[in-house]
Amino acid sequence: MKSIFVFWILILSTIVAFAKPQVLQKVSIHQNDLELIFDSDYNKKAIRYFALDKPPRKVFDIPNTILAKNAKRVIQNQKCRAIRVSQYRPNIVRVVIETSRPYHTRT
């Protein structure tokens, strides 16, 4: 019985370790909203976000995701100083929205 339990733990850990990450294919501004297009459905509850000061910015970390090679890395917008997108870690895409003053976000 113990060997079956160990076998299933090994199988499940292998599946998790080699799970295919989502691909963030496109980042754009659509009607003043930041739009993220993935290659398949993505659970937005998995996205972690926090705010930083000096300069004011909102940071979004998107786990189990890779950035498509042709995705824009900097997005221009009149309401923001800058919107930057990068591959923060091998399986985390980071989106940083920098503004001239603090603001509220909706997710």
Side-chain angles (χ1 to χ4, degrees):
M1 184 68 157
K2 195 174 194 178
S3 61
I4 292 173
F5 177 73
V6 170
F7 173 75
W8 281 112
I9 294 295
L10 287 172
I11 294 294
L12 291 175
S13 63
T14 303
I15 290 170
V16 169
F18 294 103
K20 182 181 174 193
Q22 299 278 3
V23 177
L24 179 55
Q25 296 178 325
K26 184 179 178 183
V27 180
S28 63
I29 301 290
H30 183 70
Q31 296 179 351
N32 291 325
D33 287 333
L34 182 65
E35 186 174 58
L36 307 175
I37 307 296
F38 294 90
D39 64 340
S40 59
D41 289 340
Y42 191 85
N43 178 8
K44 69 180 184 179
K45 291 180 181 179
I47 297 173
R48 310 252 191 282
Y49 60 94
F50 55 94
L52 296 172
D53 295 326
K54 299 179 185 175
R57 57 203 183 277
K58 198 72 156 178
V59 179
F60 298 86
D61 285 338
I62 308 169
N64 195 33
T65 304
I66 57 173
L67 188 58
K69 293 185 189 291
N70 62 345
K72 284 186 178 181
R73 306 293 172 138
V74 178
I75 310 299
Q76 301 298 324
N77 185 304
Q78 298 170 349
K79 296 187 178 195
C80 300
R81 282 187 174 173
I83 300 173
R84 295 182 302 279
V85 183
S86 66
Q87 190 70 52
Y88 174 62
R89 294 209 171 130
N91 65 339
I92 299 175
V93 169
R94 176 167 278 182
V95 177
V96 178
I97 303 172
E98 185 179 320
T99 64
S100 56
R101 58 192 165 123
Y103 63 97
H104 299 285
T105 59
R106 60 188 166 105
T107 55

